[in-house]
């Protein structure tokens, strides 16, 4: 019986020693765990995001091409998109008084040519338009709440067919149209005439959403159980800090919390962190 008790005691001691060794090993592994992270600085200032409006391009002015006498189209001398000088022949019309040459009354690009050879034309409808595309208009509409974002002569950024331009606001209506929106017009100086009429344009206008606030990359925000946190790096150790979101965008977010301008917040690798984790900072792409 005594021998059995001694054997049991030895087994118990062995188990305790093994457990202690495992605990020590786990603690050692925890202490040695270092997570590689990327960081960015906390900034302070006005939080501004670009508000996007959509419109369509149109010529600065379009001059109708009219015929003086009704008749039949004998020939078309030009094509849509051709650049014309003043007095260039556009079409020849057979009339009761003989052949009539229809000429350009100004220089510009021919658009909306609507007749073919053999068609009958009258003096009531234009057969085409001559467009001034040196200056292109962008017409769009805004809500009452966005109306205050615009002022005449303001410069805004515009994207047309993936190309970026600067446009100037030239008109802001103070009365809404039938849709309840307020028409706005911006113009682009396009000396190369590379913007086609009728093309969709994106107008970006900066809108201040928060004043003198702390700003961090949006990817630095970690949400847990409806609470938002950031991980601040100090002496290669992270500190988990709760923050409140004031305004957010796709790239930047304005926050409030126990965070200071210039501190480093984790923007990559934070999903594996906990308060007090040791980290190694690496440069991002």
């Amino acid at each position: 019986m005594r021998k059995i008790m001694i054997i049991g005691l030895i087994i118990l001691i062995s188990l305790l020693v093994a457990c202690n060794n495992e605990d020590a090993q786990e603690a050692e592994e925890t202490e040695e765990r270092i997570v590689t992270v990327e960081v960015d600085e906390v900034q302070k200032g006005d939080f501004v995001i670009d508000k996007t409006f959509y419109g369509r391009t149109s010529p600065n002015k379009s001059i109708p091409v009219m015929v003086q006498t009704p008749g039949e189209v004998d020939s078309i001398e030009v094509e849509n998109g051709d650049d014309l000088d003043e007095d260039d022949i556009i079409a020849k019309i057979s009339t009761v008084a003989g052949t009539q040459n229809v000429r350009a009354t100004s220089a510009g690009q021919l658009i909306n040519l609507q007749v073919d050879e053999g068609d009958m034309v009258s003096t009531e409808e234009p057969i085409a338009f001559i467009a001034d595309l040196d200056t292109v208009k962008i017409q769009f509409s805004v809500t009452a709440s966005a109306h205050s974002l615009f002022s005449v002569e303001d410069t805004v950024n515009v994207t047309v067919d993936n190309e970026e331009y600067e446009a100037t606001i030239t008109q802001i209506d103070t009365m809404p149209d039938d849709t309840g929106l307020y028409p706005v017009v911006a113009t682009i100086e396009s000396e190369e005439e590379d913007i086609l009429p009728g093309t969709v344009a994106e107008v970006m206008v900066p809108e201040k959403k928060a004043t003198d606030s702390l700003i961090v990359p949006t990817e630095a925000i970690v949400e847990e159980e409806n609470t938002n946190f950031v991980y601040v790096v100090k002496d290669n150790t992270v500190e988990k800090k709760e923050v409140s979101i004031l305004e957010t965008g796709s790239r930047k977010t304005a926050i409030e919390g126990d965070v200071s301008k210039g501190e480093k917040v984790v923007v990559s690798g934070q999903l594996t962190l906990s308060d007090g984790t040791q980290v190694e900072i690496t440069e991002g792409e």
Side-chain angles (χ1 to χ4, degrees):
M1 184 68 178
R2 184 178 179 183
K3 184 176 182 181
I4 294 175
M5 292 178 62
I6 294 174
I7 294 173
L9 182 61
I10 293 173
I11 293 172
L12 179 61
I13 293 173
S14 299
L15 290 173
L16 290 174
V17 170
C19 289
N20 289 335
N21 288 338
E22 288 179 1
D23 291 342
Q25 184 176 357
E26 288 179 1
E28 184 178 352
E29 288 177 353
T30 300
E31 291 178 358
E32 292 178 352
R33 186 170 74 94
I34 298 177
V35 179
T36 299
V37 298
E38 295 177 16
V39 300
D40 203 343
E41 280 193 5
V42 178
Q43 301 174 349
K44 191 170 186 180
D46 294 338
F47 181 72
V48 178
I49 62 174
D50 282 337
K51 198 173 183 67
T52 303
F53 302 87
Y54 295 91
R56 286 195 178 272
T57 60
S58 63
N60 185 46
K61 61 180 179 180
S62 298
I63 300 171
V65 178
M66 309 294 295
V67 298
Q68 296 177 348
T69 307
E72 181 180 347
V73 179
D74 276 345
S75 64
I76 301 294
E77 305 297 322
V78 292
E79 296 180 351
N80 272 317
D82 284 354
D83 292 323
L84 305 180
D85 292 323
E86 187 175 353
D87 289 331
D88 281 352
I89 296 176
I90 297 173
K92 294 184 178 182
I93 309 295
S94 181
T95 72
V96 294
T99 300
Q100 174 192 157
N101 290 330
V102 182
R103 297 179 180 273
T105 56
S106 67
Q109 187 178 112
L110 187 73
I111 62 172
N112 292 345
L113 180 62
Q114 301 177 18
V115 296
D116 294 313
E117 293 180 4
D119 287 351
M120 298 300 296
V121 294
S122 71
T123 58
E124 298 179 356
E125 296 291 337
I127 65 170
F129 290 86
I130 298 175
D132 171 17
L133 294 179
D134 287 341
T135 302
V136 176
K137 291 193 298 186
I138 300 171
Q139 298 172 311
F140 58 102
S141 298
V142 302
T143 62
S145 61
H147 191 274
S148 61
L149 296 177
F150 299 89
S151 297
V152 173
E153 297 186 358
D154 277 355
T155 300
V156 294
N157 294 322
V158 176
T159 301
V160 182
D161 280 340
N162 297 319
E163 294 291 333
E164 295 183 356
Y165 303 89
E166 281 193 351
T168 303
I169 301 298
T170 55
Q171 177 184 328
I172 308 169
D173 286 7
T174 55
M175 292 293 293
D177 57 19
D178 293 340
T179 66
L181 300 176
Y182 295 82
V184 180
V185 176
T187 57
I188 301 174
E189 298 299 328
S190 177
E191 296 180 358
E192 297 181 0
E193 299 184 358
D194 55 351
I195 300 177
L196 295 176
T199 307
V200 174
E202 296 181 21
V203 181
M204 278 76 72
V205 181
E207 180 181 15
K208 186 186 293 186
K209 305 293 287 185
T211 302
D212 196 27
S213 60
L214 295 169
I215 301 172
V216 299
T218 299
E219 57 191 344
I221 305 295
V222 178
E223 184 178 353
E224 295 178 5
E225 299 179 352
N226 298 321
T227 304
N228 296 301
F229 300 90
V230 294
Y231 286 99
V232 177
V233 178
K234 293 182 179 179
D235 299 326
N236 292 328
T237 302
V238 296
E239 185 176 352
K240 186 178 182 180
K241 294 191 174 183
E242 182 177 345
V243 296
S244 299
I245 294 178
L246 302 178
E247 296 286 348
T248 188
S250 60
R251 297 180 59 189
K252 299 289 185 179
T253 294
I255 63 170
E256 283 183 342
D258 185 20
V259 182
S260 301
K261 175 185 176 182
E263 287 187 317
K264 305 287 188 180
V265 290
V266 178
V267 296
S268 178
Q270 65 268 49
L271 298 181
T272 61
L273 299 178
S274 58
D275 195 36
T277 300
Q278 291 186 339
V279 295
E280 180 181 3
I281 298 174
T282 183
E283 296 293 332
E285 294 183 2

